[in-house]
Amino acid sequence: MNLNDLPLLFDSKQNVVGIESPITERFKILEFIYKLSQKLCLPLYFWNQGYSQLQLFNNNQQLISTQHQCISGLNWLLQHPDIPGIFVFEGTISPDNMTGKLSVQTEMMLSNLVYDLAANSVPRFLVCMESYVELPHSLAPLIPTLINPLPSPSNIKIFIQNFCNDKFSTTNTTTKHYETLVRTCLGLTLGELEMLLKRLSGFTNTLEELIDGVLDYKKSKLKGQGVEFISEPDVPNAAGLDLLSEILERAAVLLKPEAQQHNLSFPKGMILWGPPGTGKSLSAKLAAKKMGVPMVAADWAGLRGTNAYESRKNLREFLQFCDANGEYGLVLYFDDFEKGFAGFDSDSDGGVSRQLAGKLLTWMQERTSQVLVMATVNRLEFLPPELIRRFDEIIFVDLPHAGARYEIFKLHLAKYFPGLDFCEKDWLRLLRETKLLTPAEIALMVRKTAEEVFYRNTKKFPAHELGKQPLNVSVGDFLKVRSQFTPSMIREEDKIVEIRNKAAYARPAASPDTSRWAKEPEVLFGR
């Protein structure tokens, strides 16, 4: 049920109702309930623990202190049965910070109010407003909860058009600018947007500056929750993962409106499985880039709070944000996904892991938004089987073969050594000596070599000429750096071999090597 069902509940003599809504929507909720109070000819009161007196909401949309001293909202309401009105109490059904549960006293007062208000001849209604409502089982049948959802794209579009018509000249804006601003505002409440845009309007003169301001706010807000929002991933191609790139291109096509006309739906999720450093994280960013959609990178373990209630609240709000941003497509990325499920089969955490996994399972099964969940894992067996089944694809990202290593080298060499190439003999030597390296280790090797050559130049040239001097390098320089570290394939051989031995259970991310480096030439004669 949503907020529009409140009049029907009051008509059916439901005197106690819970409303789930962010705190930024407080006055939006009060404005809505005030119209209802006028029809019922009842005053509208508001209280939270920040007030020592009951507040009256007037027709000027202001809160005015009354003569009623109010220290405990629910208890005050029980002690004053002769005062009619609609009472909106904020924060009265928040659970205890330590236990994450509603106190027994609060639970009893709420149950008493349900029966007392219904039996009283004086018309009185209680609305309990919280950012997240989770009632105990004893109260769930007695108190219905209404959800104030995040605004739809059409609602945001109307709000943005009204704001921009007053602030910006229509001659200096385009339809594309409006659409970009609307998409940037997805996932924010209208009350939040109203305050944000008013604040930004004093510092911005163009629609582009306004878009940047909203985006910065959105990133900052999510960063405080341990979530990274990437509007336009700027990554190079993931070299050597041609099959994965094709899978992502097929998924991007399903974002087109025409796909829905054929009853084709956007994929729900992909698991990128493989040894560490093989390019799984880069592939997730590449997915967002290929689809032309933003990416939200979240730490599954980081969504957990200090107690079970806070953990469920964090996940609920986060998934609502993803749904709102998924209207036009979104990549939801979980790195090292399996680490958040340590102890899943035990009760060491009070069953919180199972509860969160269950909520994620339900969301992945029932959601209609176009959100692609991409999770990277090193050890697939650590994930609950029922969670794995919710993913459409399991893709194994293995160590790169020779042809892929060649592409990865070329990609990173272009950054530090533009135009550099080797003869076939040197390439064969370099690829042979790096056959156990991951893409991350190849990138590190190239960077360390560039640092070493630059350091060498500082010994030869004065400081004012260093920027003009090229970084002259040979294959020997790369192999020298290679000899200075131990690849993870050797350092953690047992773990990685165990991971690779199960690769047959997933789709490969790369085709077999058909490049000219696939097989070294055999020496028939000579030493």
Side-chain angles (χ1 to χ4, degrees):
M1 293 188 292
N2 58 41
L3 193 61
N4 293 324
D5 295 319
L6 186 60
L8 297 175
L9 290 174
F10 282 180
D11 288 342
S12 63
K13 307 303 180 182
Q14 182 68 53
N15 295 73
V16 181
V17 177
I19 291 182
E20 184 175 293
S21 180
I23 193 172
T24 55
E25 301 301 279
R26 175 192 293 171
F27 276 86
K28 297 288 183 184
I29 300 295
L30 290 175
E31 289 170 18
F32 177 85
I33 300 178
Y34 181 74
K35 295 176 182 177
L36 178 58
S37 71
Q38 294 299 291
K39 292 181 180 179
L40 297 175
C41 299
L42 291 172
L44 175 61
Y45 297 102
F46 176 81
W47 179 86
N48 62 27
Q49 292 185 7
Y51 291 111
S52 59
Q53 293 173 303
L54 198 65
Q55 306 291 304
L56 176 68
F57 190 81
N58 63 17
N59 56 0
N60 292 324
Q61 300 179 3
Q62 296 176 324
L63 292 173
I64 308 298
S65 294
T66 68
Q67 61 182 355
H68 301 294
Q69 296 291 324
C70 186
I71 304 302
S72 174
L74 298 180
N75 190 43
W76 180 92
L77 203 56
L78 284 168
Q79 294 176 356
H80 295 79
D82 56 339
I83 300 177
I86 300 177
F87 300 86
V88 178
F89 287 174
E90 184 181 65
T92 54
I93 54 175
S94 297
D96 181 78
N97 290 332
M98 295 296 294
T99 64
K101 297 180 180 180
L102 207 61
S103 69
V104 175
Q105 183 182 18
T106 301
E107 188 174 341
M108 291 298 100
M109 284 193 291
L110 282 170
S111 62
N112 291 341
L113 282 168
V114 169
Y115 294 109
D116 288 2
L117 295 183
N120 198 332
S121 59
V122 178
R124 286 146 52 87
F125 299 91
L126 170 62
V127 176
C128 298
M129 189 162 62
E130 300 283 345
S131 59
Y132 175 65
V133 177
E134 187 177 270
L135 295 171
H137 296 300
S138 61
L139 292 178
L142 302 177
I143 304 175
T145 299
L146 305 180
I147 308 295
N148 183 31
L150 290 171
S152 65
S154 58
N155 290 336
I156 289 182
K157 188 173 183 179
I158 294 171
F159 179 86
I160 292 298
Q161 286 177 338
N162 292 335
F163 175 83
C164 292
N165 288 340
D166 296 334
K167 171 66 178 175
F168 300 103
S169 170
T170 55
T171 57
N172 297 327
T173 58
T174 64
T175 302
K176 184 178 180 180
H177 286 142
Y178 277 122
E179 291 177 351
T180 302
L181 181 56
V182 169
R183 293 193 180 198
T184 306
C185 292
L186 292 175
L188 303 178
T189 65
L190 291 180
E192 189 176 15
L193 280 174
E194 187 174 358
M195 291 185 285
L196 175 63
L197 295 183
K198 283 182 179 179
R199 185 165 66 244
L200 291 175
S201 62
F203 304 93
T204 56
N205 298 311
T206 65
L207 207 55
E208 293 93 328
E209 292 177 351
L210 187 64
I211 292 169
D212 291 339
V214 174
L215 188 58
D216 288 342
Y217 169 81
K218 199 171 181 179
K219 290 179 178 179
S220 177
K221 176 185 176 182
L222 290 173
K223 188 175 181 180
Q225 302 171 358
V227 177
E228 183 182 8
F229 183 81
I230 305 173
S231 56
E232 295 180 359
D234 183 17
V235 295
N237 292 329
L241 301 177
D242 57 315
L243 294 183
L244 177 58
S245 295
E246 184 179 345
I247 292 172
L248 297 177
E249 288 175 3
R250 291 176 181 272
V253 170
L254 295 175
L255 275 174
K256 297 181 181 295
E258 294 79 7
Q260 298 179 5
Q261 297 176 8
H262 294 281
N263 295 320
L264 298 174
S265 58
F266 195 56
K268 292 186 179 294
M270 296 181 186
I271 291 178
L272 302 181
W273 172 32
T278 50
K280 301 186 297 296
S281 301
L282 177 64
S283 299
K285 294 181 180 180
L286 181 65
K289 181 179 181 180
K290 280 185 174 292
M291 297 175 190
V293 300
M295 184 178 94
V296 174
D299 177 10
W300 175 252
L303 290 172
R304 298 183 59 162
T306 56
N307 53 54
Y309 169 85
E310 188 176 334
S311 299
R312 293 190 293 268
K313 177 178 179 291
N314 291 346
L315 181 60
R316 168 71 175 274
E317 292 176 349
F318 177 66
L319 295 180
Q320 286 178 337
F321 174 85
C322 292
D323 277 332
N325 282 270
E327 290 290 334
Y328 300 103
L330 177 77
V331 171
L332 170 54
Y333 168 57
F334 290 112
D335 193 18
D336 292 332
F337 196 41
E338 76 275 22
K339 291 182 180 179
F341 295 90
F344 175 82
D345 293 329
S346 69
D347 289 324
S348 58
D349 62 353
V352 176
S353 294
R354 284 199 299 272
Q355 293 176 26
L356 297 185
K359 289 185 177 294
L360 181 64
L361 284 171
T362 302
W363 177 77
M364 290 186 66
Q365 184 67 28
E366 298 179 355
R367 79 181 189 273
T368 56
S369 56
Q370 299 185 110
V371 180
L372 174 62
V373 181
M374 296 197 74
T376 64
V377 300
N378 297 326
R379 305 294 294 268
L380 186 67
E381 64 271 20
F382 288 175
L383 287 180
E386 57 268 34
L387 180 58
I388 295 175
R389 289 196 294 268
R390 293 297 189 273
F391 289 84
D392 302 298
E393 301 277 3
I394 301 177
I395 302 166
F396 192 83
V397 186
D398 201 358
L399 295 174
H401 50 57
R405 291 199 302 279
Y406 173 77
E407 294 180 17
I408 295 168
F409 264 114
K410 295 287 286 185
L411 190 67
H412 294 289
L413 288 175
K415 181 178 180 181
Y416 302 102
F417 310 98
L420 176 66
D421 202 357
F422 300 117
C423 65
E424 184 166 339
K425 180 180 178 182
D426 284 344
W427 269 119
L428 285 169
R429 184 184 177 195
L430 184 60
L431 296 177
R432 184 192 315 118
E433 296 296 327
T434 58
K435 63 182 179 180
L436 297 179
L437 266 58
T438 66
E441 289 169 335
I442 292 175
L444 175 66
M445 175 179 166
V446 174
R447 179 173 64 83
K448 288 292 186 181
T449 303
E451 292 173 356
E452 182 65 28
V453 175
F454 179 76
Y455 174 73
R456 195 164 62 201
N457 281 358
T458 62
K459 302 294 185 180
K460 297 180 180 179
F461 306 101
H464 67 276
E465 293 185 11
L466 283 175
K468 302 176 183 178
Q469 298 299 323
L471 299 179
N472 295 320
V473 68
S474 67
V475 170
D477 293 318
F478 287 102
L479 296 181
K480 181 180 178 181
V481 171
R482 163 65 187 84
S483 66
Q484 295 172 355
F485 68 92
T486 303
S488 58
M489 183 62 194
I490 297 177
R491 190 174 61 249
E492 302 176 12
E493 181 179 3
D494 293 344
K495 294 180 181 178
I496 294 180
V497 168
E498 184 180 354
I499 293 172
R500 297 183 74 196
N501 284 342
K502 299 178 181 179
Y505 296 113
R507 295 182 64 177
S511 300
D513 192 2
T514 57
S515 70
R516 59 189 173 120
W517 316 107
K519 186 178 181 181
E520 295 186 30
E522 296 181 3
V523 179
L524 300 180
F525 302 100
R527 300 183 191 179

